[in-house]
Amino acid sequence: MSISLHIGQCGVQVGIKYWQTLLKEHEKSPKSPVFFENPDTATQDYHLLRAIFIDLEPGSIDNLSASSIGDTLRPDNLVAASSGAGHNWAKGYYTEGAELIDEALDAVRAEIERCDCLQGFQLYRSFGGGTGSGMGTLLLEKLQEEYPGNVFHDTFCLPSSYCRDGMSEVYNVLLSWAKVHESCTFGSVIDYTPVSSLAARIFGTRSTYPGWNSITSAVMSDFSSCLRLPTREMYSLPKLATSLVPYPQYPYIVHSLAPGFQPSVFKDQWPTLPEMVGLLGTRDTLTYDCQVNRGQNLAGLYTARGTFDRMQFREAQILFEQDSKFQFLPYIPDAIKSTFIDDAPEDYRSSLGYAVNSSSIREMLITARESFAAIFRRKAFLHWYSGEGMDEMEFIESDEIISSAIFDYQQLDHLPPLWKTYEDPDGEDI
């Protein structure tokens, strides 16, 4: 069983769409106790969500209560304040968020008591705002202190460079990412820059948050399908982490979904399996702004939903792995796993999701660091953070952590060949 934590306005809004998608999918399939709970043990009615929604502003929580999933949540699992964080990481981490953190932790403890076997936590938030970035980071650290043996999967959205809500987002991203790099078991990165471009092609405008939320929820519901729908492979949250993170210093994964996020385009002729494999990594299927063919791919997971010929799928997978554009570490056997689920997503005849742990994530880390350096060297907007009790050294330390992470990924790209020989002290080849 895992507990979902939706933090901040983005986390709550994505959560509404995400759980609406899950509830529609489970109208035909039994609800999994991993994601749903049954308040009446005499029945098999798993209708309450194992989810907690947290925000420092009441507006998004009020919208949640009035939405179609409002009746599926316990009132105690809605945690809100009235102050807001004002797009300030320091407010979410040090002041306003610190005042609400005990109430949030009480809700988590109560939810854990209703779990038979806790696998871990799944966080959904944005790094751009103050609540998701600041309070979300504080909550992650507190949970790690109290429940150190569990898996922490952090799904975070990076703000779009096309539609910024404020320049403080640059600070929030770096501060949050530095903390996450030392805290989470593994993280899913959703970059709203390519997502906003996708939304422009699908909905006609870049700045449509419902469109962004729809794309994000489609990716995350596909990724979580192996945890909640019948499949031969029997995945769990710890098994996902073990499969996708061979080294703890490389915890990030990125996602794509074929045939894309506009299934109506293919209603006349649905893509074949080899065609869907070929679509992965194209601009109509990805939610990240980096080139996975420019780095080393450590591990991957295919999620095939619908009716598939497994032999045909295996042949297409081998061709994909042998493609010279994609480099996989030669000493990790079976780096790419696959799982098959008979139930296709709503409005899809079939779909193919792909989650990959790639060193090309360094491109996004470099972008975050360069954006931070451009305004930090001029000390712009720092007074908003120092006014909440932050010290300038925290920015410098966070920058050093991200710099170290970039260096680690660059080292991965320059590993010696597997067949290189080494000499022992006596001068003989080993």
Side-chain angles (χ1 to χ4, degrees), residues 4 27 37 54 94 112 201 283 295 313 375 398 400 418:
S4 298
E27 287 176 355
E37 59 180 280
I54 305 165
Y94 284 110
I112 290 174
R201 292 193 292 274
R283 68 171 192 162
F313 175 82
I375 63 172
S398 297
E400 290 174 350
L418 187 64

Side-chain angles (χ1 to χ4, degrees), residues 156-158 177 187-198 201 215-216 219 252-258 261 277-294 297 320 326 353-364 367:
F156 53 88
C157 303
L158 302 178
W177 210 333
S188 292
V189 186
I190 307 292
D191 190 345
Y192 272 177
T193 297
V195 168
S196 63
S197 298
L198 270 172
R201 292 193 292 274
I215 292 169
T216 303
V219 168
Y252 307 115
I253 57 177
V254 290
H255 302 266
S256 58
L257 179 65
F261 302 93
V277 172
L279 284 170
L280 292 173
T282 63
R283 68 171 192 162
D284 290 325
T285 65
L286 54 80
T287 58
Y288 51 89
D289 192 17
C290 58
Q291 300 295 323
V292 295
N293 58 339
R294 293 181 182 174
N297 295 325
F320 180 79
F326 299 94
Y354 184 49
V356 60
N357 185 335
S358 172
S359 66
S360 60
I361 194 74
R362 71 186 182 282
E363 298 174 19
M364 300 163 73
T367 299

Side-chain angles (χ1 to χ4, degrees), residues 394-409:
E394 291 187 60
F395 291 91
I396 297 173
E397 291 170 359
S398 297
D399 182 53
E400 290 174 350
I401 292 171
I402 297 300
S403 177
S404 176
I406 293 170
F407 177 78
D408 287 340
Y409 278 112

